[in-house]
Amino acid sequence: MPTLSRRAQLIALATAALVIAATAIAGVALNRTGVPLHADAAPLFGFLNPHLGPGTPLALALAIAVVAWGPPLASRLPWRGLLAASYAAALAWTVSLALVDGWRAGFTERLTDWTEYLHDVPRVHDIPAMIGEFTQHVLAGQPQSWTVHVSGHPPGALLVYTWLDRLGLGGGTWASVVTVLVGALAAVAVPVTVKALHDERAARAVVPFVVLFPGAVWMGVSADGLFTGVTTTGIALLARRRALPSLLGGLLLGSALFLSYGLTLVAVIALAVVLVNRSWRSLLIAACGASIVVAAFAAAGFWWLDGYHLVVQRYHQGDFAQRPYAYWVFGNLGALLLSAGPLTAAALALATSSPATTATTPRTPVIRTRSSGAFRTTRKTAVIGSRKTAVIGSASAGGAGASRTGERRTPGIGEVVRRSVAAVPRVDAVRGLVLAAGLAVLAADLSGLSKAEVERIWLPFGVWFAVGGALLPAGSRRWWLGAQAVTALAVNHVIATSW
């Protein structure tokens, strides 16, 4: 895998700092002149409020512990034990950051604001009727319009919190607990994906970075944290390549389409997984699973495209549509670097650099030959990074492409498909995931529908930049972990975030 020199790493860190500073300075200047940014702490949505809280000592202790002991523990713990520790540590990190604002303001009341999903849960008396009539209440200025977050999303998110209420888990406390518990699954799903696509060594290197993910500031507590847990788990299941996990992954990713319209861009990351695995069968099975969810909502009376077109209209009805695109297309990048952390700059630099080894130029080809009577087959194995990848080889007498006498025959459909798949350039897993997350963010940024608040909206994409930790030289990882932790702590203690 490619590596960055110490100088290049410093340049990446300085670039991230400059982008954040430039977007912040421009935000201050534009706010002072009355430009409608609708974000007092641009590029973040919130306002300046330096403060400490009950979660401060715990957050500091966790950050120090993970930076000091995270990498060696990640390399030594048994795999399943490491995943359990990753989940527990990520959960503790998220909760400790939330508690910087106090138990009520930082945790239990986060989802009870009039703009949130819980506001409209009491209106749902009949779930099938709610789904069927959902689009009738999306636009503003009409009787019984949905509140801000409900109208801006498909009915899936409202459905989740309504189900919790029906199960006796109503109210802000239970909603926050479930949201954080699901969101922390990303700390398991991301390394599981890396292991399935690349190897366990790279997956272990990723764990400390996904634990100290700066986006935890917004995962505790916003529904986008729940969306992150759902989508990363779906991707991890798809990466397993087996039929049942692929189907379950498709069901989760299909469900994500009805949690947020913007999560359609998770398809870019899913496609990267398929390109790495070359498992088109898994893609087909996952697509069937997603289709089941789409069909279920359609049968209940909600068609995704209708909802999307109405949301675009609703967006332009509000004041936030006045936010200047010229600032936010750049300001969003500053928000991303604060949410995903400065590691994002290094990860993208590494992902776009020339790989040390590629499938087409293997560093160490290994030839294995098996002979049995008149039959002989040859398979080649190319070493890519630290993972060995089987490449379809040649066949001689009795093989798929020739007869015993060397006479050619027309290849079957199965062989044509296999050869076509083999002709597709192999994508390095770690670099592929980072690049896919970057492409998803770029598409969202250029769309003009993501102006501000992307520090939480892009959480399902931003968490994948933590994979870049595996690309860093081992000696540099603690420094970058420290930079990630400092970013989260600074934002949480200086800015009163809101959404």
Side-chain angles (χ1 to χ4, degrees), residues 89-168:
L91 183 62
W93 176 241
T94 301
V95 172
S96 66
L97 291 173
L99 291 180
V100 170
D101 296 325
W103 173 248
R104 293 180 61 185
F107 196 82
T108 64
E109 295 181 354
R110 277 291 191 180
L111 299 177
T112 60
D113 188 79
W114 71 270
T115 63
E116 289 285 352
Y117 303 96
L118 295 186
H119 176 272
D120 283 348
V121 166
R123 289 178 52 184
V124 182
H125 303 291
D126 185 325
I127 290 178
M130 179 273 287
I131 297 174
E133 300 171 0
F134 189 84
T135 54
Q136 299 176 21
H137 308 291
V138 171
L139 296 179
Q142 59 185 12
Q144 298 184 326
S145 293
W146 298 119
T147 194
V148 177
H149 283 295
V150 176
S151 64
H153 294 77
L158 178 60
L159 187 59
V160 168
Y161 293 109
T162 300
W163 277 337
L164 287 178
D165 184 71
R166 297 292 192 272
L167 292 171

Side-chain angles (χ1 to χ4, degrees), residues 419-478:
R419 289 179 178 178
S420 299
V421 171
V424 177
R426 184 166 291 279
V427 180
D428 175 77
V430 177
R431 297 171 71 240
L433 289 171
V434 172
L435 289 174
L439 287 174
V441 163
L442 179 63
D445 193 30
L446 296 178
S447 73
L449 295 176
S450 294
K451 291 188 291 186
E453 304 180 58
V454 299
E455 59 269 17
R456 64 168 179 82
I457 297 172
W458 289 352
L459 286 174
F461 314 123
V463 71
W464 290 102
F465 290 114
V467 172
L471 295 171
L472 294 169
S476 301
R477 287 172 186 163
R478 277 198 175 96

Side-chain angles (χ1 to χ4, degrees), residues 159-182:
L159 187 59
V160 168
Y161 293 109
T162 300
W163 277 337
L164 287 178
D165 184 71
R166 297 292 192 272
L167 292 171
L169 303 178
T173 301
W174 277 114
S176 295
V177 167
V178 172
T179 298
V180 170
L181 288 174
V182 174

Side-chain angles (χ1 to χ4, degrees), residues 153-221:
H153 294 77
L158 178 60
L159 187 59
V160 168
Y161 293 109
T162 300
W163 277 337
L164 287 178
D165 184 71
R166 297 292 192 272
L167 292 171
L169 303 178
T173 301
W174 277 114
S176 295
V177 167
V178 172
T179 298
V180 170
L181 288 174
V182 174
L185 290 174
V188 174
V190 172
V192 165
T193 302
V194 174
K195 182 185 177 184
L197 298 180
H198 196 77
D199 61 25
E200 187 174 315
R201 183 178 180 181
R204 288 176 176 275
V206 167
V207 168
F209 289 95
V210 78
V211 166
L212 289 186
F213 176 49
V217 171
W218 294 272
M219 293 181 76
V221 184

Side-chain angles (χ1 to χ4, degrees), residues 182-424:
V182 174
L185 290 174
V188 174
V190 172
V192 165
T193 302
V194 174
K195 182 185 177 184
L197 298 180
H198 196 77
D199 61 25
E200 187 174 315
R201 183 178 180 181
R204 288 176 176 275
V206 167
V207 168
F209 289 95
V210 78
V211 166
L212 289 186
F213 176 49
V217 171
W218 294 272
M219 293 181 76
V221 184
S222 74
D224 295 274
L226 182 143
F227 304 164
T228 303
V230 171
T231 54
T232 52
T233 302
I235 293 294
L237 288 168
L238 178 62
R240 297 291 301 277
R241 298 184 64 180
R242 298 175 184 173
L244 182 57
S246 296
L247 178 62
L248 294 175
L251 289 170
L252 282 178
L253 295 175
S255 299
L257 293 175
F258 296 89
L259 294 174
S260 173
Y261 294 105
L263 293 179
T264 52
L265 291 172
V266 172
V268 178
I269 300 172
L271 182 59
V273 169
V274 172
L275 287 175
V276 171
N277 264 341
R278 299 192 179 192
S279 180
W280 306 104
R281 175 173 171 268
S282 296
L283 178 62
L284 179 61
I285 294 172
C288 290
S291 298
I292 292 172
V293 180
V294 174
F297 273 94
F302 177 81
W303 184 240
W304 191 92
L305 286 173
D306 292 341
Y308 173 75
H309 292 308
L310 287 170
V311 160
V312 173
Q313 294 180 49
R314 171 68 183 253
Y315 177 75
H316 290 288
Q317 286 180 322
D319 293 337
F320 287 178
Q322 300 173 10
R323 287 168 165 162
Y325 179 85
Y327 170 77
W328 285 111
V329 74
F330 179 55
N332 287 342
L333 302 181
L336 173 68
L337 290 167
L338 289 168
S339 178
L343 173 66
T344 304
L348 288 171
L350 283 161
T352 54
S353 62
S354 299
T357 314
T358 65
T360 55
T361 57
R363 182 177 295 173
T364 311
V366 179
I367 309 298
R368 294 177 181 174
T369 304
R370 295 179 305 187
S371 298
S372 177
F375 298 92
R376 183 179 63 191
T377 60
T378 303
R379 290 179 60 86
K380 297 181 181 179
T381 302
V383 179
I384 304 176
S386 58
R387 179 178 181 170
K388 292 183 179 179
T389 305
V391 181
I392 295 177
S394 61
S396 59
S403 66
R404 263 184 217 186
T405 60
E407 181 180 332
R408 292 197 173 192
R409 64 177 176 81
T410 302
I413 294 177
E415 184 178 351
V416 171
V417 172
R418 287 193 297 272
R419 289 179 178 178
S420 299
V421 171
V424 177

